[in-house]
Amino acid sequence: MTPTDAEHALDQALALVSRTPDGGGAGGGPRPPSPWPQARETAARAGTGVRARTHRVPLADALGEVLAAPLEALTDLPSFDTSAMDGWAVAGPGPWSVRGGREALAGSALPDPLADGEAVRIATGARIPADTTAVIRSEHCHVSGTQLFADRPVLTGQDIRPRGQECRSGDLMLPAGSLVTPAVLGLAAAAGYDELSTRPRPRVEIVVLGDELLTEGRPHDGLIRDALGPMLGPWLTRLGAEVIGTRRLGDDQAGADALLEAVTTSAADVVITTGGTASGPVDHVHPVLGRAGAELLVDGVAVRPGHPMLLARVGDRPDGRLVVGLPGNPLAAVSGLLTLADPLLRALAGRRRRPRYTVAVQGDVPGHPHDTRLVPVLLTDEHAVPLRYNGPAMLRGVAAADALAVVPPHGARSGQELEILDLPWASGGCFT
């Protein structure tokens, strides 16, 4: 039995003895963990309920944000009749007499009108002379002496982009809520915009908890390297957040007091903690949230790894500060990111939910007796291939993965369609 198989078997055994027959929470005890789909929905609703902030920023600063107002055309596009190709502007039927002198070039003044039977050389993007019948591409004609001859039939209006072909001034080009991509920046610039009204990225502060964590060097003497601190910032940035800082706190009373200060006074919209979400002797997250008067929206999720994750709201208003508590084990923390942080941050940023899709799994995948499992997979043209090293404390599997597959309780058979959660770096784009 491999170490991963042994961990999975132990996980199953503990699950069978740790739950009451009615699912937990009987007799006034702790409430049962949220089902995985419900936890994701709760996180999305929590983000949607926060009052949106907006600002106006230069085009270059709007990338990755969401339009807070519709993008309407400020001018016709194109704003004048323009040539779609390098070639010749001609008037009337051919052959045509080549007009000497200045050619029609992009950015130049409006050329003189063409007389019937006349042709003038024209460049892509140049203004069309008045009375032009068509533009003939350079490769579709030839010049003999002072005469231009077409090598194929000429259609009226060919290779001319008429004014307003793409849009008219005032047309709706994109609705509010559209993600500002590089293409949107180009469209906005073409339509005459210098600034855009957008929803700023949600601000996130990371709080890494644990006395056992090293920030450099090799693990030694019971101390381990902090894997989450280096990982979470870029990951959250890729999810659309603005990471405003990372704190590292110990497991002592001073650390608990500092955590209370963070969740109650941080300038962030969301505080994300790592570790301390269970009920061990130095797990301070729940007691601190109690001292802060926080409302627990999600307190445990029926998912493996990562079941002790949580989502809380600090403050008595719907738009109070939100806290996402991630487990300390690395893959369990990844599970928390995809389960709670991803839908929450997308909603706070005003971004649409990710489209859901499924892929057939290659090979049988063991399941948990009660809970959903999230398993790192590599995506091929036809299958999702489960990867080894998928224990709660491991990152080796997810580092090689494209996505996590959502495995239902009791597992999945080879060929079964499973929902796929793309990892940020596998869904295109770069870390902005």
Side-chain angles (χ1 to χ4, degrees), residues 9 19 26 48 59 66 95 154 185 265 273 359 377 396 426 428:
R19 300 202 177 194
T48 304
L59 292 186
V66 168
V154 177
L185 293 179
T265 68
T273 67
V359 175
V377 294
R396 185 171 172 182

Side-chain angles (χ1 to χ4, degrees), residues 74-95:
L74 302 181
T75 183
D76 297 344
L77 286 182
S79 55
F80 49 84
D81 294 346
T82 181
S83 177
M85 292 288 172
D86 294 333
W88 295 84
V90 299

Side-chain angles (χ1 to χ4, degrees), residues 160-186:
I160 294 175
R161 293 187 63 212
R163 176 174 182 161
Q165 181 185 52
E166 186 168 3
C167 64
R168 289 290 184 181
S169 180
D171 282 355
L172 174 64
M173 298 189 296
L174 289 171
S178 299
L179 180 66
V180 179
T181 63
V184 171
L185 293 179

